Amino acid sequence: RSFAQSLLRFLGFIFWGAALAQACGGVLVILMFKNYRYLFQESYLSLAGWLALATALILLPAGVLSLSISVKCSHKQQGTLMYLLLLLLCLEMSSAALARSYCIETASQLESAMGYLVHQHNWTCFQDPGSSAVDAMQRQLQCCGVHNYTDWLKTSSSRHLPACVPESCCKEEHSHCRGDLRRVEQLFEEGCLKKMEGQLCFAMLYVFWCCTVLSILELLAGVSNGILMRHQPFHDLRIL
């Protein structure tokens, strides 16, 4: 019983720290899909992030109950903690499954989505939403094209222009760069596909492993709480 109390007290503090970690992961996923919404047309892709945020909110009262039960056992608090742990397990398993599947499935859709936006890029109208999204992506990720800058030579619009790429491919230290392919050293060398896949898998795997580790800790908390409940049975309900 003393070991169960000590473990439950320790897990109570861990749950508070885990709530912050889960919230950061959820915000990271939501912002990523929001910033690159032109690449991810499906609105449900941010569901894993929202589930992670819901988990973070429930972890806070779960941590409070764990600390309270480790000091003074209360039947109501023990029962409430069991229900919260069950709810957390459901949320985290769902979030982990979604994050893992998104990392595998969504990465395969990125290449076609990026290729379409690059091919449809409007060189004359910079207010076009798709063109603005491509330029913003290249500046933020410091990349050029899907695989490299040569992807811009295959677009229909570039055939009527001198050999060049959008100015968003230019490195920041070259303020006079205009995307001239005769000065390749002024352009970003890496393509956007590899960098975007790296960001996507990092965010999804972060949520996946957070949920997996937390699920194990919550099982330990449930076992510890069950041990304490066994030492203090509900005498008034035994007749049932």
Side-chain angles (χ1 to χ4, degrees):
R1 180 182 178 181
S2 60
F3 176 76
Q5 287 178 325
S6 301
L7 181 59
L8 203 58
R9 186 182 303 110
F10 172 73
L11 291 175
F13 290 110
I14 292 296
F15 286 162
W16 286 350
L20 179 61
Q22 280 285 82
C24 291
V27 171
L28 178 64
V29 171
I30 293 172
L31 290 180
M32 186 185 65
F33 284 114
K34 182 180 179 180
N35 293 334
Y36 304 110
R37 59 185 177 275
Y38 287 98
L39 296 175
F40 308 101
Q41 298 295 332
E42 295 85 357
S43 58
Y44 64 84
L45 290 176
S46 60
L47 181 58
W50 290 110
L51 288 178
L53 284 181
T55 301
L57 291 176
I58 300 175
L59 277 171
L60 295 176
V64 173
L65 287 174
S66 298
L67 291 173
S68 178
I69 293 171
S70 65
V71 176
K72 182 180 179 181
C73 292
S74 169
H75 291 162
K76 292 183 179 179
Q77 291 181 352
Q78 288 173 330
T80 303
L81 179 61
M82 280 299 193
Y83 281 115
L84 288 181
L85 291 175
L86 180 61
L87 179 59
L88 284 170
L89 280 173
C90 294
L91 287 174
E92 284 167 0
M93 288 296 98
S94 301
S95 183
L98 288 175
R100 188 61 181 170
S101 62
Y102 288 170
C103 183
I104 297 174
E105 296 177 6
T106 311
S108 62
Q109 303 174 5
L110 279 176
E111 185 172 5
S112 59
M114 285 185 178
Y116 176 79
L117 287 178
V118 168
H119 184 74
Q120 298 295 325
H121 189 276
N122 194 336
W123 293 69
T124 57
C125 180
F126 297 101
Q127 300 299 323
D128 181 67
S131 302
S132 301
V134 172
D135 291 331
M137 176 183 65
Q138 293 187 144
R139 290 191 181 97
Q140 291 174 6
L141 299 181
Q142 296 185 349
C143 57
C144 186
V146 181
H147 301 284
N148 51 48
Y149 64 89
T150 58
D151 293 321
W152 288 105
L153 301 177
K154 305 172 187 177
T155 61
S156 57
S157 301
S158 64
R159 296 170 187 169
H160 307 289
L161 299 171
C164 62
V165 296
E167 294 183 12
S168 56
C169 286
C170 295
K171 297 179 180 178
E172 294 181 358
E173 59 266 24
H174 299 287
S175 57
H176 300 289
C177 174
R178 293 296 179 267
D180 191 350
L181 287 178
R182 291 173 297 182
R183 300 180 179 273
V184 181
E185 69 279 0
Q186 298 180 352
L187 307 176
F188 296 123
E189 298 177 0
E190 290 188 68
C192 296
L193 178 62
K194 185 177 180 180
K195 289 197 170 186
M196 179 59 74
E197 285 181 347
Q199 280 199 1
L200 173 68
C201 286
F202 172 79
M204 292 303 177
L205 289 177
Y206 177 88
V207 172
F208 173 80
W209 285 112
C210 278
C211 292
T212 303
V213 173
L214 270 174
S215 298
I216 297 174
L217 296 178
E218 285 157 10
L219 287 174
L220 291 176
V223 171
S224 301
N225 191 29
I227 292 174
L228 296 178
M229 294 175 72
R230 185 178 180 183
H231 281 83
Q232 285 190 345
F234 296 88
H235 297 283
D236 51 338
L237 298 179
R238 279 186 174 180
I239 190 175
L240 299 178

